[in-house]
Amino acid sequence: GAVVSQHPSRVICKSGTSVKIECRSLDFQATTMFWYRQFPKQSLMLMATSNEGSKATYEQGVEKDKFLINHASLTLSTLTVTSAHPEDSSFYICSAREAGVDTGELFFGEGSRLTVL
Amino acid sequence: GQNIDQPTEMTATEGAIVQINCTYQTSGFNGLFWYQQHAGEAPTFLSYNVLDGLEEKGRFSSFLSRSKGYSYLLLKELQMKDSASYLCAGMDSNYQLIWGAGTKLIIKP
């Protein structure tokens, strides 16, 4: 099946620094990738939809200048948490939909756990 | 508005059968998904239903009734490794997933 690789799986950073998370579709082309955030004991929250070659669409309440999303190729999307603060500590997950496939099935990365000190 | 309802927690015995129900309200409908999520890990795809009826896949089956806005996930021959959260998600007309809060399934020996 289709594989999505997310890196890094865990990252610890100091407050005020920026962190980049990569999401790669390994064996398929993904025109659309989704970025989610999950707080403990809560469900996934869609942050933004990333379309290859165009600006990401952010959900209401998500700061686009703080969570920079770049989808420069059909196999790679990146999420950069800028000037991270402790409240940004969370589990970030990406998912991708295979181009040209109508089932709508999403393939998820392994997730990245961010801890901001 | 859009909404997904599923029980918060369920408990079952190893070797038994459990049914996790989900009701949904979405703007348009492009299918109903079930995902499994173990603590600290990303969700993994279990099933996708877009037509009415039962889809069987090994020990797991998923059912959909579009007229009732209802789905269930059936797990048979429960194993301890099935202890996880099960997420129900409806896909709306814009192909966005509307997620339920998840059902935590506890399996007891």
Side-chain angles (χ1 to χ4, degrees):
Chain A
V3 177
V4 173
S5 176
Q6 191 172 335
H7 178 81
S9 58
R10 296 179 187 275
V11 57
I12 300 173
C13 70
K14 293 182 179 180
S15 184
T17 60
S18 295
V19 174
K20 179 184 286 188
I21 301 170
E22 292 187 348
C23 180
R24 292 181 184 272
S25 56
L26 297 186
D27 51 2
F28 67 99
Q29 293 184 329
T31 51
T32 304
M33 289 187 174
F34 302 91
W35 286 96
Y36 298 86
R37 182 175 182 178
Q38 185 179 35
F39 291 105
K41 300 184 179 180
Q42 296 184 26
S43 188
L44 294 171
M45 182 189 79
L46 179 65
M47 297 175 66
T49 302
S50 169
N51 295 295
E52 187 265 337
S54 63
K55 291 183 179 180
T57 303
Y58 289 81
E59 296 300 302
Q60 191 173 8
V62 178
E63 298 176 60
K64 62 180 181 180
D65 294 330
K66 181 166 185 63
F67 298 99
L68 299 178
I69 292 173
N70 183 277
H71 193 160
S73 76
L74 285 171
T75 59
L76 173 65
S77 177
T78 60
L79 168 68
T80 301
V81 183
T82 63
S83 186
H85 291 282
E87 58 265 29
D88 299 324
S89 297
S90 187
F91 195 49
Y92 293 87
I93 305 173
C94 72
S95 68
R97 177 181 295 138
E98 187 172 0
V101 176
D102 294 333
T103 63
E105 182 179 358
L106 296 179
F107 302 97
F108 284 85
E110 306 94 328
S112 300
R113 185 169 298 283
L114 170 64
T115 303
V116 184
L117 303 177
Chain B
Q2 305 196 98
N3 191 51
I4 304 288
D5 281 319
Q6 55 181 126
T8 304
E9 187 174 295
M10 299 183 70
T11 303
T13 305
E14 188 177 15
I17 299 173
V18 71
Q19 177 175 310
I20 304 174
N21 296 322
C22 171
T23 58
Y24 65 89
Q25 288 178 304
T26 57
S27 300
F29 180 73
N30 276 302
L32 193 290
F33 294 79
W34 284 95
Y35 284 83
Q36 180 192 59
Q37 185 178 27
H38 287 98
E41 297 179 13
T44 54
F45 172 79
L46 289 179
S47 68
Y48 170 71
N49 295 65
V50 67
L51 300 177
D52 290 347
L54 185 68
E55 295 275 346
E56 298 188 71
K57 191 185 294 184
R59 293 189 299 114
F60 293 4
S61 302
S62 57
F63 171 84
L64 175 68
S65 169
R66 289 173 296 173
S67 63
K68 296 181 179 178
Y70 167 70
S71 173
Y72 67 72
L73 180 68
L74 190 72
L75 293 77
K76 303 177 184 177
E77 302 169 17
L78 286 171
Q79 301 174 9
M80 297 304 292
K81 67 178 182 179
D82 297 330
S83 292
S85 284
Y86 291 85
L87 303 171
C88 174
M91 181 168 281
D92 68 13
S93 57
N94 294 319
Y95 293 95
Q96 299 296 327
L97 282 176
I98 312 302
W99 294 87
T103 299
K104 182 178 180 181
L105 178 62
I106 300 169
I107 310 295
K108 295 185 175 180

